[in-house]
């Protein structure tokens, strides 16, 4: 399950930020490593919500800074 | 020397960029224009089968080297979704113009002396439409964060400044179909006033979406009788004309203070000789009686340029292929008097349709190319003028004629009028 989530998150990041797949490492920061700006991250979080049918409230979204943050948050939501 | 003030700074054009229904590229557009080609065809950007107007001048897609639009050659894929199509087209024309000029400010001072003023009549209409549909479907909380910056008219100027680091005046004109002409005129004034040494100026438009075409249809503004024969639909001054044909595209020029251009050895296309503006104070869509507002705009431009009608060899008319064509013709004839018989006037909208807020910018570039090459572009489809005139309206085929001074007119809804005088460059 968690691997499935990780793969899907990576795919969304590649699509939305236009980066190479091998750059999307677990500890990669969207802003510092993957060239996203603040609006990109808003769009990215929306894409996660859509793809995983989860609600990511604003205060939670602000804490999602890396690929791993996203995978962990979504995995937790799906398990709940 | 030019203009009313003895020490007024001269403004020259040192770069041009065009995206039009004929081609992506200023020179290929010009070549096709003077070869009497038409860029009008069936609408492909949406299903127009339910509308009375089903034709338009769309920018062709295809390889860049063949004059088609390959967007990734101009805007990185990741950035494309952050902009409406009008910004894509504006950037493609703006990049052409900047690269053509060779102007690359290296110092902070030079960057701050370089500004951008790109107008649009409508802006990101399709983006607004798409997002409205999302709101109506209950997705108000799921709109793209790029919806607003993708739609705003001044974002073409914003993106160009970000791309090149131009830190001077950053502005956008919104005067409907006069936007492109106003942008070039106003940007010239900024240079004359000392706010900038270089201004990237023009207009960009892309409103060939269902909302745009349906809206202009409701205003009874578009041609509806030539859906089966699109290239004959735009026929300025012809007795069978029945409305304008919507076009899309962008025109951008690099305006530069003459001494600045000379110091760096820039290629000079021509000079902005004068600029005139007026308002009709009459009606939201119809021109004033006898187009007297247009008359005053042209008169002001001539005065600003210190030229007389006898100096003007070519007029690029607003000429949209509507009833107003003859009113403009009448105003030009009154202004020119006996000189009308010596000047030529054409409407290049016959080939590319009406680019709304980009029209005046593209047409100013055509005037510069006409003076450079000594070739005046034709008015296509002008078979039988609804009104005779002493002015040669250059029906069907381009003609060779040396011209030193040209006049370009643009008029917009709301009763806004702008005229530019462009001059062949003389040291």
């Amino acid at each position: 399950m968690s691997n499935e989530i990780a793969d899907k998150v990576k795919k969304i990041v590649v699509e939305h930020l236009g980066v190479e797949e091998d750059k999307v490492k677990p500890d990669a920061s969207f802003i510092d490593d993957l060239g996203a700006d603040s609006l990109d991250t808003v769009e990215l979080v929306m894409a996660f919500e859509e793809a995983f049918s989860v609600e990511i409230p604003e205060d939670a979204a602000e804490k999602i800074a890396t690929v791993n943050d996203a995978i962990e948050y979504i995995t937790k939501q799906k398990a709940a | 020397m030019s203009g009313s003030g003895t020490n007024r700074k001269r403004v020259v054009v040192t770069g041009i960029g065009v995206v039009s229904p004929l081609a992506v590229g200023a020179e290929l557009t010009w070549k096709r224009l003077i070869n009497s080609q038409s860029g009008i065809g069936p609408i492909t950007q949406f299903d127009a089968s339910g509308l009375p107007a089903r034709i338009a001048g769309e920018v062709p897609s295809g390889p860049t080297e063949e004059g088609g639009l390959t967007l990734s050659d101009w805007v990185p894929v990741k950035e494309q979704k952050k902009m409406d199509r009008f910004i894509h087209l504006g950037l493609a024309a703006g990049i052409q113009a900047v690269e053509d000029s060779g102007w690359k400010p290296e110092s902070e001072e030079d960057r701050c002396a370089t500004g951008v003023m790109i107008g649009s009549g409508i802006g990101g209409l399709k983006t607004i439409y798409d997002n409205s549909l999302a709101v109506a479907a209950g997705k108000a909380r799921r709109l793209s964060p790029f919806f607003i910056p993708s739609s705003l008219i001044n974002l073409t100027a914003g993106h160009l400044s970000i791309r090149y680091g131009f830190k001077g005046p950053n502005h956008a004109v919104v005067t409907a179909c006069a936007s492109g002409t106003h942008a070039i005129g106003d940007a010239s004034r900024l240079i004359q006033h000392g706010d900038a040494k270089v201004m990237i100026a023009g207009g960009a438009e892309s409103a060939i979406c269902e909302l745009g075409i349906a809206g202009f249809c409701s205003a009874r503004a578009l041609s509806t009788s030539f859906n089966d024969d699109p290239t004959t639909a735009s026929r300025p001054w012809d007795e069978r004309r029945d409305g304008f044909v919507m076009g899309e595209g962008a025109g951008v020029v690099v305006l530069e203070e003459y001494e600045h251009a000379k110091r760096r050895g820039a290629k000079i296309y021509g000079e902005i000789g004068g600029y005139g503006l007026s308002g009709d104070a009459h009606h939201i869509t119809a021109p004033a009686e006898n187009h007297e507002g247009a008359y005053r705009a042209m008169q002001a431009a001539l005065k600003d340029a210190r030229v007389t009608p006898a100096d003007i060899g070519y007029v690029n008319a607003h000429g949209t292929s509507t009833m107003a064509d003859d009113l403009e013709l009448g105003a030009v004839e009154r202004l020119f008097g006996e000189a009308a018989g010596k000047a030529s006037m054409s409407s290049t909208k016959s080939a590319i349709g009406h680019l709304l807020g980009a029209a005046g910018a593209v047409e100013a570039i055509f005037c510069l190319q006409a003076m450079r090459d000594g070739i005046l572009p034709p008015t296509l489809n002008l078979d039988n003028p609804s009104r005779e005139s002493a002015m040669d309206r250059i029906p069907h085929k381009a003609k060779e004629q040396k011209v030193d001074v040209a006049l370009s007119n643009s008029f917009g809804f709301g009763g806004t009028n702008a005229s530019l005088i462009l001059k062949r460059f003389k040291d």
Side-chain angles (χ1 to χ4, degrees):
Chain A
M1 177 67 184
S2 147
N3 264 348
E4 223 173 88
I5 289 174
D7 289 347
K8 209 162 157 186
V9 164
K10 281 180 196 164
K11 196 166 159 261
I12 290 167
V13 172
V14 167
E15 272 172 23
H16 282 263
L17 301 184
V19 289
E20 300 290 326
E21 205 175 330
D22 56 4
K23 284 200 175 152
V24 189
K25 298 192 172 96
D27 59 350
S29 155
F30 298 128
I31 289 176
D32 296 334
D33 302 317
L34 301 175
D37 62 22
S38 58
L39 293 183
D40 288 318
T41 60
V42 172
E43 196 192 36
L44 206 51
V45 167
M46 281 185 179
F48 294 147
E49 291 182 315
E50 190 89 29
F52 295 101
S53 307
V54 293
E55 285 263 344
I56 306 178
E58 201 144 328
D59 52 344
E62 278 167 15
K63 289 179 195 130
I64 299 177
T66 66
V67 175
N68 223 12
D69 292 343
I71 295 168
E72 278 180 13
Y73 184 85
I74 293 161
T75 308
K76 216 184 286 172
Q77 294 296 305
K78 291 307 246 184
Chain B
M1 200 192 74
S2 79
S4 47
T6 46
N7 293 316
R8 191 169 84 177
K9 293 186 180 81
R10 295 174 72 179
V11 177
V12 294
V13 178
T14 57
I16 57 176
V18 171
V19 172
S20 82
L22 283 172
V24 175
E27 296 310 333
L28 195 51
T29 293
W30 174 243
K31 194 176 144 199
R32 290 174 179 170
L33 181 74
I34 59 176
N35 279 335
S36 301
Q37 286 177 247
S38 167
I40 312 299
I43 290 173
T44 64
Q45 293 181 27
F46 70 96
D47 177 7
S49 58
L51 291 173
R54 300 188 284 279
I55 55 172
E58 296 182 338
V59 171
S61 42
T64 301
E65 56 276 15
E66 290 169 22
L69 180 67
T70 299
L71 194 51
S72 54
D73 287 351
W74 306 99
V75 186
V77 174
K78 178 180 166 262
E79 301 296 315
Q80 290 174 10
K81 64 178 177 192
K82 302 180 183 179
M83 311 164 193
D84 185 87
R85 182 172 166 90
F86 88 98
I87 301 177
H88 294 156
L89 305 185
L91 280 181
I95 292 166
Q96 286 171 40
V98 172
E99 303 295 329
D100 184 38
S101 76
W103 174 236
K104 289 191 185 83
E106 307 270 332
S107 68
E108 184 70 359
E109 189 188 348
D110 281 347
R111 280 191 287 273
C112 292
T114 306
V116 189
M117 190 183 302
I118 312 284
S120 182
I122 295 187
L125 193 61
K126 179 168 190 299
T127 298
I128 295 170
Y129 173 71
D130 290 343
N131 282 274
S132 302
L133 292 183
V135 171
K139 293 186 176 172
R141 298 185 59 152
R142 311 212 62 83
L143 297 188
S144 162
F146 302 110
F147 158 47
I148 298 292
S150 176
S151 317
L152 295 180
I153 283 179
N154 67 302
L155 264 282
T156 307
H159 280 291
L160 266 177
S161 73
I162 293 163
R163 182 182 180 111
Y164 288 106
F166 297 150
K167 295 184 170 180
N170 201 270
H171 207 327
V173 176
V174 183
T175 49
C177 307
S179 305
T181 299
H182 274 133
I184 293 175
D186 290 351
S188 302
R189 295 264 162 103
L190 290 183
I191 293 174
Q192 285 164 348
H193 197 72
D195 296 289
K197 296 273 190 204
V198 181
M199 286 295 298
I200 319 305
E205 198 81 75
S206 177
I208 306 176
C209 60
E210 195 164 6
L211 190 58
I213 298 292
F216 279 102
C217 277
S218 287
R220 301 292 185 271
L222 296 180
S223 169
T224 57
S225 304
F226 300 90
N227 287 314
D228 297 328
D229 197 4
T231 61
T232 67
S234 188
R235 39 196 320 119
W237 299 297
D238 186 77
E239 61 182 12
R240 290 171 66 212
R241 71 188 185 277
D242 74 330
F244 80 79
V245 176
M246 180 87 94
E248 63 170 355
V252 176
V253 294
V254 175
L255 301 171
E256 194 163 345
E257 197 266 310
Y258 167 58
E259 295 296 335
H260 188 274
K262 194 168 126 183
R263 267 199 302 278
R264 69 181 187 92
K267 158 186 67 191
I268 294 176
Y269 284 92
E271 180 168 358
I272 306 298
Y275 172 45
L277 320 74
S278 74
D280 281 351
H282 174 70
H283 187 268
I284 52 172
T285 60
E289 198 173 339
N290 298 322
H291 237 319
E292 70 84 28
Y295 180 92
R296 285 185 289 109
M298 290 187 279
Q299 195 177 40
L302 263 67
K303 187 178 170 214
D304 188 44
R306 289 188 168 183
V307 297
T308 66
D311 298 321
I312 298 171
Y314 173 63
V315 181
N316 188 297
H318 184 60
T320 55
S321 186
T322 60
M323 287 307 125
D325 295 355
D326 283 346
L327 294 179
E328 180 185 13
L329 174 62
V332 170
E333 285 174 334
R334 281 200 310 288
L335 184 73
F336 276 57
E338 291 201 347
K342 283 184 283 175
S344 301
M345 169 159 75
S346 68
S347 170
T348 45
K349 291 185 178 80
S350 59
I352 61 172
H354 190 355
L355 272 55
L356 309 182
V362 170
E363 289 158 12
I365 292 170
F366 291 160
C367 288
L368 293 167
Q369 291 171 311
M371 287 189 284
R372 180 194 64 190
D373 295 350
I375 298 174
L376 307 184
T379 304
L380 303 187
N381 304 311
L382 179 50
D383 299 335
N384 297 297
S386 57
R387 189 174 160 301
E388 289 306 320
S389 172
M391 290 194 94
D392 180 2
R393 281 167 283 175
I394 322 175
H396 307 299
K397 296 267 175 222
K399 76 168 180 184
E400 287 186 28
Q401 188 177 307
K402 188 173 173 288
V403 167
D404 290 319
V405 184
L407 166 67
S408 184
N409 284 336
S410 294
F411 316 129
F413 279 1
T416 177
N417 311 297
S419 297
L420 276 176
I421 297 281
L422 300 119
K423 295 165 86 173
R424 175 203 291 281
F425 179 70
K426 287 193 192 106
D427 204 353

